[in-house]
Amino acid sequence: MYQNELLEQIKCNDSIPYSLSYYADRLSISTSDVHNLLQKLIRLGYPLEVSDSTVLLTKPMISHTRVDALLKEQKLHYNTLFYPRIESTNTEALENLSELSDRTVLLTDYQYKGKGRLGREWQSPIGSAVTLSLVLKPDLSGEQAVLFTQLTAAALIKALSPFVSAQIKWPNDIIVNGKKTAGILTETTFKSSRLEGIVVGVGINTSLDSTEISPALTNKATSLLMETGKHINPNALIGNFLKNFEGFYQNWQQTNDSSRFIDLCKKASVLLGKEIIVRNGERSRLARVRDINASGELIVQFNDEAQLTPLRTLDFSIRGKHSYI
Ligand code: BTN
Protein backbone atom coordinates (compact mmCIF):
# COMPACT_ATOMS: atom_id res chain seq x y z
CA MET A 1 0.00 0.00 0.00
CA TYR A 2 2.86 2.39 0.83
CA GLN A 3 5.04 1.18 -2.01
CA ASN A 4 4.25 3.96 -4.47
CA GLU A 5 4.44 6.70 -1.83
CA LEU A 6 7.84 5.42 -0.69
CA LEU A 7 9.12 5.27 -4.25
CA GLU A 8 7.91 8.78 -5.03
CA GLN A 9 9.67 10.16 -1.94
CA ILE A 10 12.92 8.40 -2.85
CA LYS A 11 12.65 9.73 -6.42
CA CYS A 12 12.27 13.28 -5.11
CA ASN A 13 15.55 12.89 -3.21
CA ASP A 14 17.36 11.93 -6.43
CA SER A 15 20.65 10.18 -5.73
CA ILE A 16 21.08 11.43 -2.17
CA PRO A 17 21.08 8.62 0.40
CA TYR A 18 18.50 9.00 3.16
CA SER A 19 18.02 6.64 6.08
CA LEU A 20 15.31 4.04 6.22
CA SER A 21 14.11 5.61 9.46
CA TYR A 22 13.72 8.97 7.65
CA TYR A 23 11.28 7.34 5.22
CA ALA A 24 9.62 5.39 8.05
CA ASP A 25 8.90 8.70 9.82
CA ARG A 26 7.60 10.36 6.66
CA LEU A 27 5.20 7.51 5.96
CA SER A 28 4.35 6.74 9.59
CA ILE A 29 5.38 3.10 9.23
CA SER A 30 8.14 1.04 10.87
CA THR A 31 11.73 0.84 9.60
CA SER A 32 11.28 -2.86 8.98
CA ASP A 33 8.20 -2.11 6.83
CA VAL A 34 10.37 0.27 4.79
CA HIS A 35 13.03 -2.44 4.54
CA ASN A 36 10.49 -4.99 3.29
CA LEU A 37 9.02 -2.58 0.76
CA LEU A 38 12.51 -1.80 -0.56
CA GLN A 39 13.33 -5.49 -0.95
CA LYS A 40 10.11 -5.93 -2.93
CA LEU A 41 10.94 -2.97 -5.18
CA ILE A 42 14.46 -4.29 -5.77
CA ARG A 43 13.04 -7.69 -6.72
CA LEU A 44 10.74 -5.93 -9.23
CA GLY A 45 13.82 -4.36 -10.82
CA TYR A 46 13.86 -0.80 -9.43
CA PRO A 47 17.37 0.68 -9.43
CA LEU A 48 17.71 1.05 -5.64
CA GLU A 49 20.75 0.56 -3.47
CA VAL A 50 20.30 -0.15 0.22
CA SER A 51 23.36 -0.01 2.49
CA ASP A 52 24.13 1.04 6.08
CA SER A 53 20.43 1.59 6.68
CA THR A 54 20.24 4.16 3.90
CA VAL A 55 18.68 3.95 0.47
CA LEU A 56 19.29 5.77 -2.79
CA LEU A 57 18.35 5.54 -6.46
CA THR A 58 21.19 4.44 -8.71
CA LYS A 59 19.45 5.98 -11.74
CA PRO A 60 17.27 9.12 -11.71
CA MET A 61 13.63 8.22 -12.26
CA ILE A 62 10.47 9.99 -13.34
CA SER A 63 8.82 11.71 -10.39
CA HIS A 64 5.25 12.90 -10.77
CA THR A 65 5.83 15.64 -8.17
CA ARG A 66 8.96 16.87 -9.92
CA VAL A 67 7.41 16.92 -13.39
CA ASP A 68 4.38 18.85 -12.11
CA ALA A 69 6.62 21.37 -10.33
CA LEU A 70 8.68 21.90 -13.51
CA LEU A 71 5.58 22.40 -15.65
CA LYS A 72 4.19 24.90 -13.16
CA GLU A 73 7.50 26.76 -13.09
CA GLN A 74 7.40 27.03 -16.89
CA LYS A 75 3.71 27.97 -16.90
CA LEU A 76 2.86 25.00 -19.09
CA HIS A 77 -0.75 23.87 -18.78
CA TYR A 78 -0.42 20.13 -19.16
CA ASN A 79 -2.43 17.71 -17.10
CA THR A 80 -0.20 14.81 -16.00
CA LEU A 81 -1.20 11.28 -15.07
CA PHE A 82 1.42 8.97 -13.59
CA TYR A 83 1.09 5.19 -13.75
CA PRO A 84 3.33 3.11 -11.44
CA ARG A 85 2.99 0.21 -13.91
CA ILE A 86 1.17 0.05 -17.22
CA GLU A 87 0.96 -2.04 -20.39
CA SER A 88 1.49 0.90 -22.74
CA THR A 89 0.82 4.61 -22.26
CA ASN A 90 -0.35 4.82 -25.90
CA THR A 91 -2.82 1.96 -25.46
CA GLU A 92 -4.12 3.48 -22.22
CA ALA A 93 -4.53 6.89 -23.86
CA LEU A 94 -6.32 5.47 -26.91
CA GLU A 95 -8.68 3.36 -24.81
CA ASN A 96 -9.67 6.35 -22.66
CA LEU A 97 -9.45 9.09 -25.26
CA SER A 98 -12.99 10.37 -24.86
CA GLU A 99 -12.44 11.08 -21.13
CA LEU A 100 -8.97 12.56 -21.48
CA SER A 101 -8.64 16.28 -22.02
CA ASP A 102 -6.44 18.06 -24.52
CA ARG A 103 -2.77 18.27 -23.40
CA THR A 104 -2.88 15.34 -21.01
CA VAL A 105 0.45 13.56 -20.52
CA LEU A 106 0.50 9.94 -19.44
CA LEU A 107 3.78 9.03 -17.77
CA THR A 108 5.31 5.85 -16.45
CA ASP A 109 8.65 4.29 -15.72
CA TYR A 110 7.32 0.77 -15.80
CA GLN A 111 5.81 0.02 -19.22
CA TYR A 112 5.66 -3.73 -19.85
CA LYS A 113 4.11 -4.00 -23.33
CA GLY A 114 5.30 -0.92 -25.18
CA LYS A 115 4.45 -0.52 -28.85
CA GLY A 116 6.74 0.69 -31.61
CA ARG A 117 5.96 1.73 -35.16
CA LEU A 118 4.95 -0.88 -37.74
CA GLY A 119 3.69 -3.26 -35.02
CA ARG A 120 7.09 -3.64 -33.39
CA GLU A 121 7.71 -4.03 -29.65
CA TRP A 122 9.24 -1.22 -27.60
CA GLN A 123 11.09 -2.26 -24.48
CA SER A 124 12.01 0.10 -21.69
CA PRO A 125 13.55 -1.35 -18.52
CA ILE A 126 12.49 0.30 -15.24
CA GLY A 127 14.42 3.46 -14.53
CA SER A 128 16.24 3.45 -17.86
CA ALA A 129 13.80 5.26 -20.09
CA VAL A 130 11.33 8.07 -20.47
CA THR A 131 8.01 6.70 -21.65
CA LEU A 132 5.13 9.07 -22.16
CA SER A 133 2.08 9.70 -24.30
CA LEU A 134 0.70 13.10 -25.06
CA VAL A 135 -3.03 13.43 -25.76
CA LEU A 136 -4.01 16.28 -28.10
CA LYS A 137 -7.43 17.27 -29.34
CA PRO A 138 -6.83 19.89 -31.99
CA ASP A 139 -9.37 21.05 -34.51
CA LEU A 140 -7.58 19.50 -37.46
CA SER A 141 -8.14 17.02 -40.23
CA GLY A 142 -6.55 13.58 -40.00
CA GLU A 143 -4.22 14.54 -42.87
CA GLN A 144 -2.44 17.13 -40.77
CA ALA A 145 -1.99 14.66 -37.94
CA VAL A 146 1.04 13.33 -39.82
CA LEU A 147 2.88 16.52 -38.92
CA PHE A 148 2.76 15.75 -35.20
CA THR A 149 5.51 13.17 -35.51
CA GLN A 150 7.77 15.78 -37.13
CA LEU A 151 6.81 18.42 -34.55
CA THR A 152 7.63 15.95 -31.76
CA ALA A 153 10.94 14.97 -33.37
CA ALA A 154 11.95 18.65 -33.58
CA ALA A 155 10.96 19.24 -29.93
CA LEU A 156 13.05 16.23 -28.88
CA ILE A 157 16.10 17.42 -30.83
CA LYS A 158 15.86 20.79 -29.04
CA ALA A 159 15.32 19.20 -25.61
CA LEU A 160 18.33 16.95 -26.10
CA SER A 161 20.60 19.68 -27.49
CA PRO A 162 22.20 20.65 -24.13
CA PHE A 163 23.47 17.06 -23.85
CA VAL A 164 23.96 15.66 -27.35
CA SER A 165 23.68 16.64 -30.93
CA ALA A 166 20.90 14.30 -32.05
CA GLN A 167 19.57 13.68 -35.54
CA ILE A 168 16.30 12.48 -37.02
CA LYS A 169 15.83 9.48 -39.22
CA TRP A 170 12.49 10.33 -40.80
CA PRO A 171 9.82 9.77 -39.71
CA ASN A 172 10.27 8.88 -36.06
CA ASP A 173 13.75 7.78 -35.00
CA ILE A 174 16.01 10.00 -32.92
CA ILE A 175 19.61 9.11 -33.63
CA VAL A 176 22.77 9.77 -31.64
CA ASN A 177 26.13 8.78 -33.13
CA GLY A 178 24.45 6.61 -35.75
CA LYS A 179 22.22 4.66 -33.36
CA LYS A 180 18.62 5.04 -32.24
CA THR A 181 18.10 6.55 -28.80
CA ALA A 182 14.44 7.54 -28.96
CA GLY A 183 11.32 6.79 -30.98
CA ILE A 184 7.93 8.36 -31.61
CA LEU A 185 4.63 6.56 -32.23
CA THR A 186 1.77 8.83 -33.28
CA GLU A 187 -1.69 7.27 -33.34
CA THR A 188 -5.01 8.87 -34.22
CA THR A 189 -8.65 7.92 -33.73
CA PHE A 190 -11.68 9.06 -35.60
CA LYS A 191 -15.32 9.25 -34.52
CA SER A 192 -17.65 9.18 -37.53
CA SER A 193 -14.86 10.52 -39.79
CA ARG A 194 -14.01 13.38 -37.41
CA LEU A 195 -10.59 13.35 -35.73
CA GLU A 196 -11.29 12.52 -32.08
CA GLY A 197 -7.74 12.92 -30.86
CA ILE A 198 -4.06 12.31 -31.38
CA VAL A 199 -1.81 10.28 -29.13
CA VAL A 200 1.88 11.03 -29.47
CA GLY A 201 3.96 8.36 -27.76
CA VAL A 202 7.59 9.08 -26.95
CA GLY A 203 10.16 6.60 -25.71
CA ILE A 204 13.68 7.83 -24.86
CA ASN A 205 16.48 5.51 -23.81
CA THR A 206 17.96 7.61 -21.03
CA SER A 207 19.91 5.39 -18.63
CA LEU A 208 19.95 2.07 -20.49
CA ASP A 209 23.33 0.38 -20.23
CA SER A 210 24.73 -1.97 -22.86
CA THR A 211 23.55 -5.08 -20.94
CA GLU A 212 19.95 -3.86 -21.27
CA ILE A 213 20.05 -3.78 -25.07
CA SER A 214 19.17 -7.07 -26.74
CA PRO A 215 22.03 -8.57 -28.81
CA ALA A 216 19.96 -8.23 -31.99
CA LEU A 217 19.85 -4.45 -31.49
CA THR A 218 23.41 -3.65 -30.33
CA ASN A 219 24.38 -2.16 -33.69
CA LYS A 220 21.20 -0.11 -33.94
CA ALA A 221 20.20 1.03 -30.45
CA THR A 222 21.86 3.17 -27.82
CA SER A 223 21.04 5.39 -24.86
CA LEU A 224 21.89 8.87 -23.64
CA LEU A 225 23.94 7.28 -20.85
CA MET A 226 25.96 5.21 -23.30
CA GLU A 227 26.63 8.19 -25.58
CA THR A 228 27.30 10.89 -22.96
CA GLY A 229 28.47 8.88 -19.94
CA LYS A 230 25.89 10.79 -17.88
CA HIS A 231 22.54 10.02 -16.27
CA ILE A 232 20.31 12.70 -17.71
CA ASN A 233 17.50 13.65 -15.37
CA PRO A 234 14.23 12.40 -16.92
CA ASN A 235 12.10 15.04 -15.18
CA ALA A 236 14.07 17.95 -16.61
CA LEU A 237 14.07 16.23 -20.00
CA ILE A 238 10.27 15.84 -19.94
CA GLY A 239 9.86 19.49 -18.88
CA ASN A 240 12.14 20.68 -21.68
CA PHE A 241 10.51 18.48 -24.26
CA LEU A 242 7.03 19.80 -23.39
CA LYS A 243 8.25 23.40 -23.38
CA ASN A 244 9.67 23.00 -26.90
CA PHE A 245 6.65 21.03 -28.07
CA GLU A 246 4.32 23.78 -26.86
CA GLY A 247 6.44 26.47 -28.56
CA PHE A 248 6.30 24.77 -31.95
CA TYR A 249 2.65 23.75 -31.53
CA GLN A 250 1.38 27.22 -30.63
CA ASN A 251 3.33 28.84 -33.45
CA TRP A 252 1.96 26.32 -35.94
CA GLN A 253 -1.63 26.74 -34.72
CA GLN A 254 -1.40 30.53 -34.87
CA THR A 255 0.32 30.82 -38.25
CA ASN A 256 -0.73 27.61 -39.99
CA ASP A 257 2.92 27.44 -41.05
CA SER A 258 4.92 24.33 -40.13
CA SER A 259 8.28 25.73 -41.26
CA ARG A 260 9.68 26.37 -37.74
CA PHE A 261 9.77 22.70 -36.88
CA ILE A 262 10.09 21.33 -40.43
CA ASP A 263 13.21 23.46 -40.94
CA LEU A 264 14.71 21.93 -37.81
CA CYS A 265 13.72 18.44 -39.00
CA LYS A 266 15.54 19.10 -42.28
CA LYS A 267 18.62 20.46 -40.52
CA ALA A 268 18.75 17.44 -38.22
CA SER A 269 17.88 14.87 -40.89
CA VAL A 270 20.25 11.94 -41.38
CA LEU A 271 18.51 11.02 -44.61
CA LEU A 272 18.53 14.22 -46.72
CA GLY A 273 20.63 13.70 -49.84
CA LYS A 274 21.23 10.03 -49.04
CA GLU A 275 20.43 6.94 -51.06
CA ILE A 276 17.95 4.76 -49.19
CA ILE A 277 15.95 1.57 -49.54
CA VAL A 278 12.20 2.08 -49.21
CA ARG A 279 10.36 -1.06 -48.22
CA ASN A 280 6.61 -1.31 -48.57
CA GLY A 281 5.43 -4.83 -47.71
CA GLU A 282 7.42 -7.21 -49.91
CA ARG A 283 8.61 -4.51 -52.28
CA SER A 284 12.00 -2.78 -51.84
CA ARG A 285 13.13 0.12 -54.02
CA LEU A 286 16.20 2.32 -54.15
CA ALA A 287 15.63 6.06 -53.92
CA ARG A 288 17.43 9.31 -53.20
CA VAL A 289 16.05 11.61 -50.50
CA ARG A 290 15.45 15.12 -51.87
CA ASP A 291 13.44 17.00 -49.22
CA ILE A 292 10.91 17.04 -46.39
CA ASN A 293 7.90 19.14 -47.38
CA ALA A 294 5.62 21.41 -45.34
CA SER A 295 3.24 18.48 -44.75
CA GLY A 296 6.02 16.45 -43.15
CA GLU A 297 6.31 14.07 -46.10
CA LEU A 298 9.67 12.71 -47.24
CA ILE A 299 10.27 13.63 -50.86
CA VAL A 300 12.20 10.93 -52.65
CA GLN A 301 13.23 10.20 -56.20
CA PHE A 302 13.12 6.50 -56.98
CA ASN A 303 16.14 5.40 -59.00
CA ASP A 304 13.99 4.21 -61.90
CA GLU A 305 11.76 7.31 -62.04
CA ALA A 306 12.29 10.93 -63.04
CA GLN A 307 9.56 12.48 -60.90
CA LEU A 308 9.61 13.12 -57.18
CA THR A 309 7.39 11.06 -54.86
CA PRO A 310 6.13 12.17 -51.43
CA LEU A 311 6.16 9.41 -48.80
CA ARG A 312 3.74 9.57 -45.90
CA THR A 313 4.73 8.00 -42.60
CA LEU A 314 2.42 5.03 -42.91
CA ASP A 315 3.48 1.63 -44.24
CA PHE A 316 7.06 2.40 -45.19
CA SER A 317 10.23 1.21 -43.58
CA ILE A 318 13.39 2.99 -44.60
CA ARG A 319 17.05 2.12 -44.30
CA GLY A 320 20.32 3.37 -45.67
CA LYS A 321 21.63 1.64 -48.76
CA HIS A 322 24.47 0.03 -46.78
CA SER A 323 23.44 0.28 -43.13
CA TYR A 324 20.66 1.25 -40.72
CA ILE A 325 20.98 4.93 -41.70
C1 BTN B 1 9.27 3.51 -32.54
O1 BTN B 1 10.40 3.99 -32.61
O2 BTN B 1 8.96 2.53 -33.22
C2 BTN B 1 8.26 4.17 -31.65
C3 BTN B 1 8.51 3.89 -30.19
C4 BTN B 1 7.52 4.59 -29.30
C5 BTN B 1 7.59 4.12 -27.88
C6 BTN B 1 6.71 4.92 -26.97
S1 BTN B 1 7.04 4.58 -25.28
C7 BTN B 1 5.63 5.48 -24.80
C8 BTN B 1 4.54 5.16 -25.80
N1 BTN B 1 3.82 3.96 -25.42
C9 BTN B 1 4.01 2.97 -26.27
O3 BTN B 1 3.52 1.83 -26.17
N2 BTN B 1 4.81 3.37 -27.28
C10 BTN B 1 5.21 4.75 -27.13
Side-chain angles (χ1 to χ4, degrees):
M1 175 189 172
Y2 291 100
Q3 185 175 305
N4 296 335
E5 287 90 331
L6 173 61
L7 199 52
E8 182 59 27
Q9 297 220 1
I10 298 173
K11 288 171 175 183
C12 285
N13 291 329
D14 280 330
S15 305
I16 304 161
Y18 275 78
S19 67
L20 269 54
S21 56
Y22 165 86
Y23 290 112
D25 283 351
R26 306 269 321 221
L27 294 171
S28 307
I29 56 175
S30 70
T31 313
S32 79
D33 284 342
V34 172
H35 184 266
N36 291 340
L37 288 171
L38 290 173
Q39 294 312 315
K40 197 172 158 206
L41 288 166
I42 290 168
R43 277 196 302 276
L44 287 170
Y46 284 89
L48 290 164
E49 204 173 273
V50 183
S51 59
D52 297 335
S53 304
T54 62
V55 57
L56 58 81
L57 273 182
T58 56
K59 295 175 175 186
M61 291 184 75
I62 300 175
S63 149
H64 196 184
T65 324
R66 281 287 177 88
V67 171
D68 277 353
L70 281 164
L71 296 183
K72 201 169 164 201
E73 215 174 281
Q74 302 183 101
K75 297 188 174 51
L76 288 170
H77 302 290
Y78 283 79
N79 172 36
T80 58
L81 298 171
F82 183 82
Y83 299 83
R85 184 173 183 271
I86 197 170
E87 177 179 326
S88 148
T89 50
N90 264 41
T91 305
E92 178 73 18
L94 287 168
E95 281 174 359
N96 298 289
L97 202 57
S98 56
E99 292 106 67
L100 295 171
S101 54
D102 179 45
R103 288 179 171 77
T104 298
V105 189
L106 291 80
L107 295 163
T108 189
D109 39 30
Y110 194 157
Q111 177 172 264
Y112 58 89
K113 211 172 161 194
K115 302 184 292 185
R117 209 171 74 90
L118 304 170
R120 296 179 186 130
E121 264 180 51
W122 182 265
Q123 291 185 352
S124 16
I126 307 175
S128 298
V130 163
T131 38
L132 64 84
S133 297
L134 183 51
V135 172
L136 299 159
K137 298 196 163 174
D139 193 13
L140 288 176
S141 74
E143 296 279 286
Q144 285 168 295
V146 175
L147 272 172
F148 278 91
T149 303
Q150 301 313 301
L151 194 160
T152 306
L156 281 173
I157 296 294
K158 270 189 99 174
L160 290 172
S161 64
F163 315 106
V164 280
S165 159
Q167 291 178 292
I168 305 167
K169 178 176 173 246
W170 186 93
N172 70 315
D173 291 354
I174 305 297
I175 308 290
V176 177
N177 297 330
K179 294 182 181 180
K180 178 161 172 169
T181 194
I184 303 159
L185 175 66
T186 305
E187 300 184 274
T188 43
T189 53
F190 291 86
K191 220 175 193 172
S192 41
S193 81
R194 202 186 65 82
L195 181 70
E196 190 191 11
I198 299 173
V199 175
V200 182
V202 174
I204 312 171
N205 296 339
T206 45
S207 292
L208 232 74
D209 62 45
S210 53
T211 62
E212 291 173 302
I213 291 181
S214 79
L217 292 178
T218 41
N219 293 329
K220 285 205 262 179
T222 190
S223 72
L224 298 175
L225 173 67
M226 287 161 70
E227 298 306 320
T228 65
K230 290 190 191 112
H231 288 292
I232 288 160
N233 189 290
N235 304 308
L237 194 55
I238 292 167
N240 263 337
F241 161 66
L242 291 173
K243 185 180 82 192
N244 290 309
F245 186 96
E246 189 60 25
F248 285 133
Y249 189 25
Q250 276 194 16
N251 176 268
W252 176 40
Q253 285 200 320
Q254 282 157 11
T255 61
N256 212 13
D257 176 3
S258 60
S259 61
R260 269 223 190 142
F261 58 90
I262 290 295
D263 285 352
L264 180 50
C265 290
K266 286 197 218 179
K267 226 155 108 193
S269 172
V270 274
L271 296 182
L272 268 189
K274 284 223 176 111
E275 206 167 23
I276 55 163
I277 300 169
V278 180
R279 199 174 302 151
N280 186 2
E282 290 298 292
R283 193 165 182 218
S284 287
R285 295 173 80 190
L286 268 179
R288 180 143 329 250
V289 179
R290 298 292 183 199
D291 200 5
I292 298 171
N293 69 12
S295 307
E297 296 162 334
L298 192 74
I299 306 298
V300 302
Q301 184 172 22
F302 286 107
N303 281 16
D304 51 3
E305 280 177 9
Q307 83 268 22
L308 299 175
T309 307
L311 300 183
R312 311 219 98 212
T313 52
L314 309 169
D315 304 332
F316 296 102
S317 105
I318 285 173
R319 48 188 53 255
K321 192 175 171 191
H322 302 292
S323 61
Y324 165 55
I325 48 172

